[in-house]
Amino acid sequence: MTQPPSQQPPQGGFGAPQEPPQGSPQPPQGPPQTPPPAQPPKAPAAPQTPPPPPAQPGYGYPQAPGQAPGQAPGQAPGYGHPQQPGPYNQQQPGPYNQQPGPYAQQPGPYGQQQPGPYNQQQPGPYNQPTQPGYGYPQQQYPGAPVPGPGGGDSSKRKPALIIGAAVVALLVIGGGVFIATSGGGDDKKPVAEKSGDAKPSNSPSANEGNGNGDGREADDDLNAGRKEGEAKVLWLQKNDIDLPRNGSDVYGPWVVGDTVVKGMYRTVSGYSAADGKQKWTLKLPADLCAAPSQPTTDGKIVIGVENGTTDKASCADLQMIDLNTGKAGWKKSVKQNGVWDLMSDISLAISGDTVTVGRTGNSNAYRVSDGKELFGKQPGNCQPFAFAGGPKLIAASSCRTDDVNNPQHQIQELDPVTGKPRWTYQPKRGWEIDRVYSVSPLVVSLKKDKEWSILALRENGSLRSGLASDKSDKFAPDCGSTFAIFGKSLDGCTGVAADANTFYMSTSPESSGLTRTNKVVAFDLNTGKPKWKAAAPAERTVKPLRMEGGNVLLYVEAGYNKGGGIATLAPTGGTVNMVLKHPVSMSEIESSFYSSKIVYAGGRSFIASGRVSARNDKEELETKTMLAFGN
């Protein structure tokens, strides 16, 4: 294990990338790739070597050659703000090509200079391919984005507008950015209607389910192939929503009591966790465009809805929903604060009774219970662009600088009621806050070009450690397949978990023939060094979901003729312990979901597709969207 390098700037200029030092977390290798078009899965005749796997989609836009993962066509990559000059919008060279040393002088009492140990010149950790069935012959995903005529998605008008503006119509005026746009769009309120009616309405009220939702049971005989010791298939859902031609991302699922809730396109619906029958559905007047990773503890959530259905619409309307009943509460439009406000996607996070609306240059916070605005734009030179919620409210901010190519970020804990910072930590110039892997304890991911760094901070915001892995280990936390135009969410990643003194992260899968496997690495948060490594079950991969009962809760992914399931791992390492074995007979369906989302609650596991799309209406209604297992 080598010592961390100093903060001295690298020598030379635009030369070849330097080799990363031993001890740096290594992100996965490989060029960006494109997702497959949607086709029904085909039963394999015989195992064969699959072609190169696809990359994660970006709201249905195919990625151009050489384009960074999650990057919109024509968009310069960056984290949390537009890649143009202007208020808090520094021009960035991108997430994969810069210099070492994320630690810098910290304001206030925590001002010690820290060395920066991470210099790896590797692609970032989020360009892992979507795996089609983990060993099955390559199949076309039913949920993968399908470009329509002209390659566009009529439901994603705002990203297209922003991309076009960013590429074609930028005028730098006095250090700011002018983007040709026009406001407006209709401002209708959401209403709940009959489940089959996909038309938007004007006022919110929930339609109670009639027990004839899309949970499927006896006729399909889903448990016919179940073996002793395997979990029962509780239900399997097919899509019942008429989607736009390029499909829609899925928000959730969220489990509240005995109800599983997910949102997609212009509908939010609740289903019985026991049998999948629809309990309620709420129709929205326009596209669902943002949602927090978790609701409040009493089951309330605030989602983002576009403020119209035209090309002029922005993700600027907030709608509170009680997920227990499906009843819509208050609705409020986010007020534009300045010429360039609301030109980015928004991200939502909930902490206590506060929901934050993060975006470039301006942010707001509202009380979930009644919609009262709690705080808005912060004083000073630095403005939050994204938040992580949960037991604490963590803000990532971008500060105005005199060099658009050398950004200054900072991370803060805010009082969720007043918005006042409780502490501030500034990494070294050039390092951008990328994700928050854990709020308590606080573990933060930062990037600078091809470099990637993970820091642990103490309760008072001072530096606790920088993680240093073995050189051979590569990591790929799963932070979702969708991207935001000039905006981002900080939380919601899987493949990571943390307790008071240890951070757990799964490595990138290693393939051998038709099988894949990986391991979990535990890091000491006080030293940053690895404590132990635990292998996944044979010929399968695992990823941490969270901590539960003092153990690491894991999702074991289904493989070729291998069932998935839920497992635990002791905080001391050792052997993975299966607590819910999914049937081998369902492994092909389980592994066919596109960018799947996994939730474990009440002894049941729920697996939802992260995106739903199809080539035609018939195929769209046959697309499998969610699957549940239990004992």
Side-chain angles (χ1 to χ4, degrees), residues 235-278:
W235 43 268
L236 173 66
Q237 280 188 357
K238 287 184 177 181
N239 177 50
D240 64 349
I241 297 174
D242 185 14
L243 299 173
R245 63 185 176 190
N246 254 18
S248 175
D249 292 305
V250 174
Y251 295 86
W254 305 285
V255 178
V256 180
D258 196 41
T259 303
V260 184
V261 182
K262 69 174 182 179
M264 184 171 63
Y265 188 39
R266 299 178 182 177
T267 303
V268 181
S269 299
Y271 306 91
S272 167
D275 59 18
K277 298 292 182 65
Q278 188 179 91

Short mmCIF file of all heavy atoms in Angstrom, two decimals, residues 235-278:
data_model
loop_
_atom_site.label_atom_id
_atom_site.label_comp_id
_atom_site.label_asym_id
_atom_site.label_seq_id
_atom_site.Cartn_x
_atom_site.Cartn_y
_atom_site.Cartn_z
N TRP A 235 -46.42 -12.15 -7.26
CA TRP A 235 -47.12 -11.61 -8.42
C TRP A 235 -46.13 -11.08 -9.43
O TRP A 235 -44.96 -10.82 -9.12
CB TRP A 235 -48.13 -10.52 -8.04
CG TRP A 235 -47.67 -9.52 -7.02
CD1 TRP A 235 -47.84 -9.59 -5.66
CD2 TRP A 235 -46.98 -8.28 -7.26
NE1 TRP A 235 -47.30 -8.49 -5.04
CE2 TRP A 235 -46.77 -7.66 -6.00
CE3 TRP A 235 -46.53 -7.64 -8.40
CZ2 TRP A 235 -46.12 -6.44 -5.86
CZ3 TRP A 235 -45.88 -6.42 -8.27
CH2 TRP A 235 -45.69 -5.83 -7.01
N LEU A 236 -46.63 -10.95 -10.66
CA LEU A 236 -45.85 -10.39 -11.76
C LEU A 236 -46.74 -9.39 -12.50
O LEU A 236 -47.87 -9.72 -12.86
CB LEU A 236 -45.39 -11.49 -12.73
CG LEU A 236 -44.72 -11.03 -14.03
CD1 LEU A 236 -43.39 -10.35 -13.73
CD2 LEU A 236 -44.51 -12.23 -14.96
N GLN A 237 -46.23 -8.19 -12.71
CA GLN A 237 -47.02 -7.16 -13.37
C GLN A 237 -46.59 -6.97 -14.82
O GLN A 237 -45.41 -7.11 -15.15
CB GLN A 237 -46.86 -5.82 -12.66
CG GLN A 237 -47.70 -5.66 -11.43
CD GLN A 237 -47.62 -4.23 -10.90
OE1 GLN A 237 -46.90 -3.40 -11.43
NE2 GLN A 237 -48.36 -3.96 -9.84
N LYS A 238 -47.57 -6.64 -15.65
CA LYS A 238 -47.30 -6.16 -17.00
C LYS A 238 -47.75 -4.71 -17.09
O LYS A 238 -48.61 -4.26 -16.34
CB LYS A 238 -48.06 -7.00 -18.04
CG LYS A 238 -47.49 -8.40 -18.24
CD LYS A 238 -48.24 -9.11 -19.36
CE LYS A 238 -47.65 -10.49 -19.63
NZ LYS A 238 -48.37 -11.18 -20.74
N ASN A 239 -47.15 -3.99 -18.02
CA ASN A 239 -47.47 -2.58 -18.19
C ASN A 239 -48.93 -2.39 -18.62
O ASN A 239 -49.45 -3.13 -19.45
CB ASN A 239 -46.55 -1.97 -19.25
CG ASN A 239 -46.88 -0.52 -19.52
OD1 ASN A 239 -47.00 0.28 -18.60
ND2 ASN A 239 -47.06 -0.18 -20.79
N ASP A 240 -49.59 -1.38 -18.04
CA ASP A 240 -50.97 -1.07 -18.44
C ASP A 240 -51.14 0.41 -18.77
O ASP A 240 -52.25 0.92 -18.77
CB ASP A 240 -51.95 -1.47 -17.33
CG ASP A 240 -51.74 -0.68 -16.05
OD1 ASP A 240 -50.72 0.03 -15.94
OD2 ASP A 240 -52.60 -0.77 -15.15
N ILE A 241 -50.01 1.10 -19.05
CA ILE A 241 -50.06 2.54 -19.32
C ILE A 241 -49.67 2.79 -20.77
O ILE A 241 -48.67 2.25 -21.27
CB ILE A 241 -49.11 3.30 -18.38
CG1 ILE A 241 -49.57 3.13 -16.93
CG2 ILE A 241 -49.04 4.78 -18.74
CD1 ILE A 241 -48.64 3.73 -15.91
N ASP A 242 -50.44 3.60 -21.46
CA ASP A 242 -50.14 4.00 -22.83
C ASP A 242 -49.02 5.03 -22.77
O ASP A 242 -49.22 6.17 -22.34
CB ASP A 242 -51.38 4.57 -23.49
CG ASP A 242 -51.15 4.89 -24.96
OD1 ASP A 242 -50.13 4.42 -25.51
OD2 ASP A 242 -51.97 5.61 -25.54
N LEU A 243 -47.82 4.64 -23.19
CA LEU A 243 -46.63 5.46 -23.03
C LEU A 243 -46.31 6.23 -24.32
O LEU A 243 -46.76 5.86 -25.40
CB LEU A 243 -45.43 4.58 -22.65
CG LEU A 243 -45.57 3.82 -21.33
CD1 LEU A 243 -44.39 2.86 -21.16
CD2 LEU A 243 -45.64 4.80 -20.16
N PRO A 244 -45.50 7.28 -24.21
CA PRO A 244 -45.02 7.94 -25.43
C PRO A 244 -44.11 7.01 -26.20
O PRO A 244 -43.69 5.96 -25.69
CB PRO A 244 -44.27 9.16 -24.89
CG PRO A 244 -43.87 8.78 -23.50
CD PRO A 244 -44.98 7.90 -23.00
N ARG A 245 -43.75 7.38 -27.42
CA ARG A 245 -43.09 6.45 -28.32
C ARG A 245 -41.72 5.98 -27.83
O ARG A 245 -41.27 4.92 -28.21
CB ARG A 245 -42.95 7.07 -29.70
CG ARG A 245 -42.08 8.32 -29.74
CD ARG A 245 -42.10 8.93 -31.13
NE ARG A 245 -41.35 10.18 -31.17
CZ ARG A 245 -41.37 11.00 -32.20
NH1 ARG A 245 -42.12 10.71 -33.25
NH2 ARG A 245 -40.67 12.12 -32.20
N ASN A 246 -41.04 6.77 -27.00
CA ASN A 246 -39.75 6.33 -26.49
C ASN A 246 -39.84 5.80 -25.07
O ASN A 246 -38.83 5.64 -24.40
CB ASN A 246 -38.73 7.47 -26.55
CG ASN A 246 -37.72 7.26 -27.66
OD1 ASN A 246 -37.96 6.48 -28.58
ND2 ASN A 246 -36.60 7.94 -27.58
N GLY A 247 -41.03 5.54 -24.58
CA GLY A 247 -41.18 4.96 -23.26
C GLY A 247 -41.04 5.99 -22.15
O GLY A 247 -41.11 7.20 -22.37
N SER A 248 -40.82 5.48 -20.96
CA SER A 248 -40.75 6.36 -19.79
C SER A 248 -39.89 5.73 -18.71
O SER A 248 -39.85 4.51 -18.56
CB SER A 248 -42.16 6.60 -19.23
OG SER A 248 -42.11 7.35 -18.03
N ASP A 249 -39.22 6.58 -17.94
CA ASP A 249 -38.50 6.12 -16.76
C ASP A 249 -39.49 5.78 -15.65
O ASP A 249 -40.59 6.33 -15.60
CB ASP A 249 -37.52 7.19 -16.28
CG ASP A 249 -36.39 7.40 -17.26
OD1 ASP A 249 -35.71 6.43 -17.61
OD2 ASP A 249 -36.20 8.55 -17.70
N VAL A 250 -39.07 4.91 -14.76
CA VAL A 250 -39.89 4.49 -13.62
C VAL A 250 -39.34 5.15 -12.37
O VAL A 250 -38.13 5.12 -12.12
CB VAL A 250 -39.89 2.96 -13.48
CG1 VAL A 250 -40.62 2.53 -12.21
CG2 VAL A 250 -40.52 2.31 -14.71
N TYR A 251 -40.20 5.73 -11.57
CA TYR A 251 -39.82 6.34 -10.29
C TYR A 251 -40.34 5.45 -9.17
O TYR A 251 -41.45 4.97 -9.20
CB TYR A 251 -40.41 7.75 -10.18
CG TYR A 251 -39.85 8.71 -11.21
CD1 TYR A 251 -40.41 8.79 -12.48
CD2 TYR A 251 -38.76 9.52 -10.91
CE1 TYR A 251 -39.89 9.67 -13.43
CE2 TYR A 251 -38.24 10.40 -11.85
CZ TYR A 251 -38.81 10.47 -13.11
OH TYR A 251 -38.30 11.33 -14.05
N GLY A 252 -39.50 5.26 -8.16
CA GLY A 252 -39.80 4.30 -7.11
C GLY A 252 -39.11 2.99 -7.43
O GLY A 252 -38.10 2.98 -8.15
N PRO A 253 -39.65 1.85 -6.97
CA PRO A 253 -40.84 1.73 -6.12
C PRO A 253 -40.56 2.14 -4.68
O PRO A 253 -39.44 2.01 -4.19
CB PRO A 253 -41.18 0.24 -6.22
CG PRO A 253 -39.86 -0.43 -6.49
CD PRO A 253 -39.06 0.52 -7.30
N TRP A 254 -41.61 2.62 -4.04
CA TRP A 254 -41.58 2.95 -2.62
C TRP A 254 -42.56 2.03 -1.90
O TRP A 254 -43.68 1.81 -2.37
CB TRP A 254 -42.00 4.40 -2.40
CG TRP A 254 -41.18 5.38 -3.18
CD1 TRP A 254 -39.90 5.78 -2.93
CD2 TRP A 254 -41.59 6.11 -4.35
NE1 TRP A 254 -39.48 6.70 -3.87
CE2 TRP A 254 -40.50 6.94 -4.75
CE3 TRP A 254 -42.77 6.16 -5.09
CZ2 TRP A 254 -40.56 7.78 -5.85
CZ3 TRP A 254 -42.84 7.01 -6.20
CH2 TRP A 254 -41.75 7.80 -6.57
N VAL A 255 -42.17 1.50 -0.78
CA VAL A 255 -43.03 0.62 0.01
C VAL A 255 -43.48 1.37 1.25
O VAL A 255 -42.66 1.83 2.05
CB VAL A 255 -42.31 -0.69 0.39
CG1 VAL A 255 -43.23 -1.56 1.26
CG2 VAL A 255 -41.87 -1.44 -0.86
N VAL A 256 -44.80 1.52 1.38
CA VAL A 256 -45.40 2.21 2.53
C VAL A 256 -46.42 1.26 3.13
O VAL A 256 -47.47 1.01 2.53
CB VAL A 256 -46.07 3.52 2.11
CG1 VAL A 256 -46.68 4.22 3.31
CG2 VAL A 256 -45.06 4.45 1.42
N GLY A 257 -46.10 0.70 4.30
CA GLY A 257 -46.99 -0.29 4.89
C GLY A 257 -47.13 -1.49 3.97
O GLY A 257 -46.13 -2.12 3.60
N ASP A 258 -48.36 -1.80 3.57
CA ASP A 258 -48.61 -2.94 2.69
C ASP A 258 -48.88 -2.48 1.26
O ASP A 258 -49.52 -3.19 0.49
CB ASP A 258 -49.80 -3.75 3.21
CG ASP A 258 -49.86 -5.14 2.57
OD1 ASP A 258 -48.80 -5.77 2.42
OD2 ASP A 258 -50.97 -5.58 2.20
N THR A 259 -48.35 -1.31 0.91
CA THR A 259 -48.57 -0.77 -0.42
C THR A 259 -47.24 -0.52 -1.11
O THR A 259 -46.32 0.05 -0.52
CB THR A 259 -49.36 0.55 -0.35
OG1 THR A 259 -50.61 0.32 0.32
CG2 THR A 259 -49.65 1.10 -1.74
N VAL A 260 -47.14 -0.94 -2.37
CA VAL A 260 -45.97 -0.67 -3.20
C VAL A 260 -46.38 0.38 -4.23
O VAL A 260 -47.38 0.20 -4.93
CB VAL A 260 -45.47 -1.94 -3.92
CG1 VAL A 260 -44.21 -1.65 -4.71
CG2 VAL A 260 -45.24 -3.06 -2.93
N VAL A 261 -45.61 1.45 -4.31
CA VAL A 261 -45.99 2.58 -5.18
C VAL A 261 -44.88 2.82 -6.20
O VAL A 261 -43.69 2.78 -5.87
CB VAL A 261 -46.22 3.86 -4.35
CG1 VAL A 261 -46.65 5.01 -5.25
CG2 VAL A 261 -47.25 3.61 -3.26
N LYS A 262 -45.31 3.08 -7.44
CA LYS A 262 -44.34 3.51 -8.45
C LYS A 262 -45.01 4.55 -9.33
O LYS A 262 -46.24 4.61 -9.46
CB LYS A 262 -43.84 2.33 -9.29
CG LYS A 262 -44.89 1.71 -10.20
CD LYS A 262 -44.26 0.65 -11.09
CE LYS A 262 -45.30 0.06 -12.05
NZ LYS A 262 -44.74 -0.95 -12.95
N GLY A 263 -44.18 5.40 -9.93
CA GLY A 263 -44.67 6.42 -10.84
C GLY A 263 -44.04 6.27 -12.20
O GLY A 263 -42.88 5.87 -12.32
N MET A 264 -44.79 6.60 -13.25
CA MET A 264 -44.28 6.50 -14.61
C MET A 264 -45.13 7.37 -15.53
O MET A 264 -46.37 7.30 -15.49
CB MET A 264 -44.29 5.04 -15.08
CG MET A 264 -43.69 4.83 -16.46
SD MET A 264 -43.49 3.06 -16.86
CE MET A 264 -45.19 2.51 -16.85
N TYR A 265 -44.48 8.19 -16.33
CA TYR A 265 -45.12 9.04 -17.32
C TYR A 265 -46.09 10.00 -16.63
O TYR A 265 -45.66 10.94 -15.98
CB TYR A 265 -45.79 8.20 -18.39
CG TYR A 265 -46.32 8.97 -19.58
CD1 TYR A 265 -45.62 10.05 -20.11
CD2 TYR A 265 -47.52 8.62 -20.18
CE1 TYR A 265 -46.11 10.75 -21.21
CE2 TYR A 265 -48.01 9.31 -21.28
CZ TYR A 265 -47.31 10.38 -21.79
OH TYR A 265 -47.80 11.07 -22.87
N ARG A 266 -47.38 9.79 -16.70
CA ARG A 266 -48.36 10.69 -16.10
C ARG A 266 -49.25 9.99 -15.08
O ARG A 266 -50.40 10.37 -14.87
CB ARG A 266 -49.21 11.34 -17.20
CG ARG A 266 -48.37 12.17 -18.16
CD ARG A 266 -49.16 12.77 -19.29
NE ARG A 266 -48.29 13.50 -20.20
CZ ARG A 266 -48.68 14.11 -21.32
NH1 ARG A 266 -49.96 14.08 -21.66
NH2 ARG A 266 -47.81 14.74 -22.09
N THR A 267 -48.69 8.98 -14.42
CA THR A 267 -49.47 8.18 -13.48
C THR A 267 -48.61 7.79 -12.29
O THR A 267 -47.45 7.42 -12.44
CB THR A 267 -50.00 6.91 -14.15
OG1 THR A 267 -50.78 7.26 -15.29
CG2 THR A 267 -50.88 6.11 -13.20
N VAL A 268 -49.18 7.86 -11.10
CA VAL A 268 -48.59 7.28 -9.89
C VAL A 268 -49.61 6.29 -9.34
O VAL A 268 -50.79 6.63 -9.18
CB VAL A 268 -48.26 8.36 -8.84
CG1 VAL A 268 -47.63 7.71 -7.60
CG2 VAL A 268 -47.34 9.42 -9.42
N SER A 269 -49.18 5.04 -9.08
CA SER A 269 -50.13 4.00 -8.67
C SER A 269 -49.60 3.23 -7.48
O SER A 269 -48.40 3.02 -7.33
CB SER A 269 -50.37 3.01 -9.83
OG SER A 269 -50.93 3.67 -10.95
N GLY A 270 -50.56 2.80 -6.63
CA GLY A 270 -50.23 1.97 -5.48
C GLY A 270 -50.81 0.58 -5.64
O GLY A 270 -51.94 0.42 -6.11
N TYR A 271 -50.04 -0.43 -5.26
CA TYR A 271 -50.45 -1.83 -5.41
C TYR A 271 -50.31 -2.56 -4.08
O TYR A 271 -49.46 -2.22 -3.25
CB TYR A 271 -49.58 -2.53 -6.46
CG TYR A 271 -49.54 -1.83 -7.79
CD1 TYR A 271 -48.57 -0.86 -8.07
CD2 TYR A 271 -50.48 -2.11 -8.78
CE1 TYR A 271 -48.54 -0.20 -9.29
CE2 TYR A 271 -50.45 -1.45 -10.01
CZ TYR A 271 -49.48 -0.50 -10.25
OH TYR A 271 -49.45 0.14 -11.46
N SER A 272 -51.10 -3.57 -3.90
CA SER A 272 -51.00 -4.40 -2.72
C SER A 272 -49.68 -5.16 -2.75
O SER A 272 -49.36 -5.82 -3.75
CB SER A 272 -52.16 -5.39 -2.66
OG SER A 272 -51.92 -6.40 -1.70
N ALA A 273 -48.91 -5.06 -1.68
CA ALA A 273 -47.64 -5.78 -1.62
C ALA A 273 -47.86 -7.28 -1.61
O ALA A 273 -47.00 -8.04 -2.06
CB ALA A 273 -46.86 -5.35 -0.37
N ALA A 274 -49.01 -7.72 -1.13
CA ALA A 274 -49.26 -9.16 -1.00
C ALA A 274 -49.61 -9.82 -2.32
O ALA A 274 -49.14 -10.92 -2.64
CB ALA A 274 -50.37 -9.40 0.02
N ASP A 275 -50.45 -9.17 -3.15
CA ASP A 275 -50.91 -9.83 -4.37
C ASP A 275 -50.78 -8.98 -5.63
O ASP A 275 -51.15 -9.41 -6.72
CB ASP A 275 -52.36 -10.29 -4.22
CG ASP A 275 -53.34 -9.15 -3.91
OD1 ASP A 275 -52.98 -7.97 -4.15
OD2 ASP A 275 -54.45 -9.44 -3.43
N GLY A 276 -50.27 -7.75 -5.51
CA GLY A 276 -50.05 -6.91 -6.67
C GLY A 276 -51.28 -6.23 -7.22
O GLY A 276 -51.20 -5.53 -8.24
N LYS A 277 -52.45 -6.41 -6.59
CA LYS A 277 -53.66 -5.77 -7.09
C LYS A 277 -53.58 -4.26 -6.89
O LYS A 277 -53.12 -3.78 -5.86
CB LYS A 277 -54.89 -6.32 -6.38
CG LYS A 277 -55.12 -7.82 -6.58
CD LYS A 277 -55.50 -8.13 -8.02
CE LYS A 277 -55.77 -9.62 -8.22
NZ LYS A 277 -56.93 -10.09 -7.46
N GLN A 278 -54.06 -3.52 -7.86
CA GLN A 278 -54.02 -2.07 -7.77
C GLN A 278 -54.95 -1.58 -6.68
O GLN A 278 -56.13 -1.92 -6.64
CB GLN A 278 -54.40 -1.46 -9.12
CG GLN A 278 -54.19 0.04 -9.18
CD GLN A 278 -54.56 0.60 -10.55
OE1 GLN A 278 -55.70 1.00 -10.77
NE2 GLN A 278 -53.61 0.59 -11.47
#
